[in-house]
Amino acid sequence: MKILVPVKRVIDYNIKVRVKADNTGVDLANVKMAMNPFDEIAIEEALRLKEADVASEVVAISCGVTACQETLRTAMALGADRGILVETDVELQPLAVAKLLKAIALNESPQLIILGKQAIDDDANQTGQMLAALMGWPQATFASKVVVDVAAGSVTVTREVDGGSETLALTLPAIVTTDLRLNEPRYATLPNIMKAKKKPLDVIKPEALGVDVTPRLTTLKVTDPAPRSAGVKVANVAELIHKLKNEAKVIA
Amino acid sequence: MSILVIAEHDNLTLKVATRNAIAAAAKINITLATEIHVLVAGVACGDAAQQAAAVAGVAKVIVADAAHYGDQTAENLAALIVAQAGGHTHILAAATSNGKNTLPRVAALLDVAQISDIIAVLDADTFVRPIYAGNALATVKSADPVKVITVRTTGFDAVEASGGHAVIENIQASTDLGQAKLVNRELTKSARPELAAAKIIVSGGRGMGSGENYHTVLEPLADKLGAAMGASRAAVDAGFVSNDYQVGQTGKIVAPQLYIAIGISGAIQHLAGMKDSKVIVAINKDPDAPIFQVADYGLVADLFQAVPELVAAL
Ligand SMILES: Cc1cc2nc3c(=O)[nH]c(=O)nc-3n(C[C@H](O)[C@H](O)[C@H](O)COP(=O)(O)OP(=O)(O)OC[C@H]3O[C@@H](n4cnc5c(N)ncnc54)[C@H](O)[C@@H]3O)c2cc1C
Ligand SMILES: Cc1cc2nc3c(=O)[nH]c(=O)nc-3n(C[C@H](O)[C@H](O)[C@H](O)COP(=O)(O)OP(=O)(O)OC[C@H]3O[C@@H](n4cnc5c(N)ncnc54)[C@H](O)[C@@H]3O)c2cc1C
């Protein structure tokens, strides 16, 4: 069974972004980029399935600018067998990414596609669900546990939901999106980083896949959120209670 | 043409989040002046449908009652919503785990974009949504014929639960796709208010040290204040509490009247989930903890001393 893992190149999660002065977006010049943390979890899960002999091949895919090759090399250093870059400078929105991934899935015939539940830049939380819809496959989003039964042609997934958790049984092929507690991703070792440089990485263009990636949403402007006015330090519990009662009036 | 809101419910009760989504629909409707319809899909969901019909501003409640909607699985729900999509300019749901699970699927089937987590409506095509963990706000305009939108509940005050007299229309269920089956559901039972709708939240982080401390130290405070309880990711990852307590960019987004962060450092991912609270209190022994930059009232203290003192003094 083959597993596809789409991996997105995003701003490093430790960095607090700054909105550009002309309000056209956020400033990404010279900012550290990394693999979306949820996608590291997706790669890890796929690798564990391979190490357990459930999966035979793990293919990482990224859609975006040339520099996404670095993200794919990271995925391969972690253990993915090969990489595919769908290269474009066009702003990609989730529906376009889902259509590109569908075109690749139709060529690759995976049984499972594991995505992150959300990318930490655009926070859309859409791509996996959209891909599932386009493929006509079942989906289990926000996964905290994944058990594949190849013989039965099913995958059982525990999901983190608002009130607690739930477990779904899906027929394969299927889509899974990862939540934070699915696993703890490994680190790439230096020898594996070197080996990853020799692993195959295909580069294709959206046109070659016959996909129109024109954005559907126009970003009119990007602004700073309203700042919070600076607060005060209180000296002790008594002062805190006094302020909450008499100044903020949030407790009786 | 009308606006369709997907109800969030458990067959018996309509969740408040639905009324937040209806509030967003009402904002969109200011320029459209059309009707707001609510879709209730479930099994034996008559009670939830009745409650939806009573919500202020709702003109029609569409009910699809069938066994295969009982568990709210995305595949069947999305197929039903798409079958109902004709005649609607907008399809909205609250950005709950159900809404986030289902609406992107609906959008893809309709070949339109989905707009996630809107916090403001500028006109019928233009919306504001947070990006980068709320550190930037994007104003986006959609050119799609149908706008499929999830609504951040903290962005819109819920409309009144009563005052409406909607007609109820029963519709045919779509066929069961049979692709996904619920095996088990473990919902946290609690007498406390729901995190997403609470007026006061007491939230604990890694500083609590253990699950036992979390409960013995924080519960008395939450009891005194009638508060819901939340946690940072670190506290959830360490197993102090279950995942549904997590507040943050990738957990729940909350905006209570009062948020008390105890033993939480204030990472950007945590702030993303609570920085729109009306009043923020932080209790942390590290005077340089970033949480103090957003706190209205900061108390530099050992929580194991300060919290019991607070409980005693309230
Ligand atoms: C140069 C450039 C400029 C952009 N400017 C803007 C802008 O101004 N405004 C705007 O709204 N958007 C912009 N985008 C697009 C935006 O950054 C997101 O890529 C897009 O909206 C998808 O949303 P998401 O990543 O939040 O999706 P989600 O649905 O949150 O992503 C979930 C998962 O889908 C997979 N995935 C998503 N994207 C990719 C990908 N590209 N490759 C591989 N896997 C992927 C990953 O597994 C990820 O974890 C731009 C993109 C580029 C390349
Ligand atoms: C992709 C991604 C998504 C994430 N999503 C979320 C999210 O949704 N929500 C979230 O919360 N985090 C999220 N995080 C994690 C986030 O980056 C932080 O790691 C996390 O919020 C830290 O939790 P904490 O503040 O409890 O722990 P710490 O940062 O370890 O802080 C503990 C604090 O407790 C204080 N303390 C310790 N002992 C005492 C004492 N006795 N008395 C008083 N104070 C004490 C310390 O001074 C310290 O400030 C995410 C991270 C990533 C990478």
Side-chain angles (χ1 to χ4, degrees):
Chain A
M1 160 174 118
K2 189 192 286 186
I3 302 179
L4 301 189
V5 183
V7 292
K8 186 179 180 189
R9 179 176 180 265
V10 298
I11 189 165
D12 185 275
Y13 78 93
N14 281 311
I15 291 166
K16 186 161 186 267
V17 296
R18 285 213 330 272
V19 172
K20 285 190 201 162
D22 63 0
N23 292 123
T24 56
V26 299
D27 196 353
L28 293 180
N30 303 317
V31 163
K32 187 174 170 218
M33 303 294 278
M35 188 188 297
N36 182 34
F38 288 96
D39 302 352
E40 292 178 355
I41 297 172
I43 288 279
E44 178 66 32
E45 197 64 17
L47 295 176
R48 289 186 190 185
L49 288 167
K50 190 179 172 199
E51 284 155 5
D53 286 328
V54 176
S56 50
E57 192 185 22
V58 175
V59 184
I61 307 162
S62 197
C63 309
V65 295
T66 314
C68 296
Q69 291 203 18
E70 292 162 22
T71 315
L72 289 170
R73 291 290 170 205
T74 306
M76 290 187 276
L78 291 168
D81 297 290
R82 57 191 170 90
I84 301 173
L85 170 63
V86 184
E87 193 180 48
T88 174
D89 290 334
V90 175
E91 163 194 337
L92 290 176
Q93 290 176 352
L95 184 62
V97 175
K99 286 181 178 178
L100 293 171
L101 295 174
K102 176 188 176 185
I104 292 174
L106 292 178
N107 288 334
E108 297 277 345
S109 307
Q111 284 293 94
L112 197 59
I113 305 178
I114 311 180
L115 303 89
K117 83 163 175 180
Q118 80 194 60
I120 58 162
D121 49 0
D122 212 44
D123 283 336
N125 197 330
Q126 300 178 5
T127 309
Q129 298 88 313
M130 288 187 153
L131 179 59
L134 298 178
M135 299 300 290
W137 291 1
Q139 69 187 48
T141 51
F142 326 145
S144 60
K145 187 175 177 203
V146 174
V147 180
V148 178
D149 186 339
V150 179
S154 71
V155 56
T156 305
V157 181
T158 304
R159 313 176 51 225
E160 295 194 356
V161 295
D162 285 343
S165 64
E166 68 176 30
T167 304
L168 293 179
L170 310 181
T171 54
L172 290 174
I175 303 279
V176 170
T177 77
T178 60
D179 216 317
L180 292 169
R181 282 162 285 275
L182 179 58
N183 59 49
E184 259 192 62
R186 68 193 68 186
Y187 292 98
T189 60
L190 192 58
N192 285 342
I193 292 171
M194 300 313 289
K195 260 192 254 166
K197 293 191 173 153
K198 299 204 182 70
K199 289 188 179 175
L201 194 167
D202 290 333
V203 180
I204 37 180
K205 298 278 180 190
E207 305 81 68
L209 294 171
V211 176
D212 176 7
V213 294
T214 313
R216 301 296 186 84
L217 296 177
T218 320
T219 302
L220 300 181
K221 62 174 182 195
V222 174
T223 51
D224 280 307
R228 280 193 86 87
S229 46
V232 295
K233 293 246 170 76
V234 292
N236 50 42
V237 166
E239 189 188 346
L240 176 62
I241 293 179
H242 181 79
K243 296 250 186 214
L244 290 177
K245 280 190 177 158
N246 304 307
E247 194 175 271
K249 298 190 169 69
V250 284
I251 59 173
Chain B
M1 298 301 268
S2 46
I3 301 172
L4 184 66
V5 177
I6 313 303
E8 173 89 20
H9 67 93
D10 60 4
N11 297 311
L12 298 176
T13 43
L14 187 76
K15 295 281 165 71
V16 182
T18 312
R19 291 191 278 121
N20 297 113
I22 293 172
K27 288 253 164 74
I28 293 168
N29 204 24
I30 291 174
T31 48
L32 294 185
T34 167
E35 288 186 351
I36 298 174
H37 297 175
V38 175
L39 174 68
V40 179
V43 64
C45 54
D47 286 353
Q50 291 292 346
Q51 291 160 33
V55 173
V58 177
K60 182 154 93 178
V61 175
I62 304 164
V63 183
D65 197 320
H68 57 278
Y69 301 132
D71 300 324
Q72 306 285 313
T73 48
E75 297 76 4
N76 283 324
L77 268 189
L80 176 73
I81 296 167
V82 168
Q84 289 300 313
H88 297 292
T89 54
H90 296 71
I91 301 175
L92 284 79
T96 56
S97 50
N98 276 336
K100 290 191 273 195
N101 191 33
T102 308
L103 279 216
R105 201 166 168 115
V106 170
L109 292 172
L110 294 172
D111 194 27
V112 298
Q114 196 236 227
I115 308 164
S116 295
D117 252 329
I118 64 162
I119 55 166
V121 173
L122 300 187
D123 61 41
D125 307 321
T126 316
F127 311 94
V128 180
R129 59 175 303 262
I131 53 176
Y132 292 94
N135 287 308
L137 302 178
T139 302
V140 296
K141 189 178 171 73
S142 162
D144 281 323
V146 190
K147 278 88 178 152
V148 180
I149 298 169
T150 62
V151 176
R152 182 169 287 195
T153 53
T154 54
F156 300 88
D157 288 335
V159 296
E160 293 295 327
S162 61
H165 302 280
V167 294
I168 296 185
E169 179 187 309
N170 290 290
I171 57 162
Q172 189 95 43
S174 309
T175 46
D176 181 6
L177 295 171
Q179 291 177 307
K181 225 176 57 230
L182 182 75
V183 180
N184 179 36
R185 186 172 276 167
E186 280 178 36
L187 300 183
T188 305
K189 288 196 190 68
S190 168
R192 295 184 199 285
E194 235 183 275
L195 196 49
K199 292 213 161 39
I200 302 181
I201 295 173
V202 170
S203 203
R206 200 197 313 263
M208 299 310 305
S210 71
E212 199 191 324
N213 289 345
Y214 179 97
H215 291 289
T216 54
V217 176
L218 296 189
E219 270 171 10
L221 180 59
D223 286 343
K224 275 257 162 108
L225 295 170
M229 297 183 74
S232 70
R233 174 192 173 182
V236 177
D237 282 4
F240 299 176
V241 286
S242 58
N243 62 268
D244 46 300
Y245 283 64
Q246 184 179 315
V247 171
Q249 180 187 14
T250 59
K252 289 204 173 72
I253 311 286
V254 299
Q257 294 290 308
L258 175 60
Y259 187 91
I260 308 181
I262 302 172
I264 293 177
S265 63
I268 45 180
Q269 293 86 5
H270 189 80
L271 300 186
M274 45 63 80
K275 71 179 164 57
D276 292 328
S277 304
K278 183 160 172 270
V279 175
I280 297 173
V281 168
I283 302 177
N284 196 307
K285 67 178 180 190
D286 172 8
D288 297 324
I291 190 76
F292 288 124
Q293 292 163 20
V294 300
D296 299 284
Y297 304 110
L299 177 61
V300 180
D302 185 328
L303 72 92
F304 295 105
Q305 231 182 314
V307 177
E309 228 182 279
L310 188 57
V311 173
L314 277 171

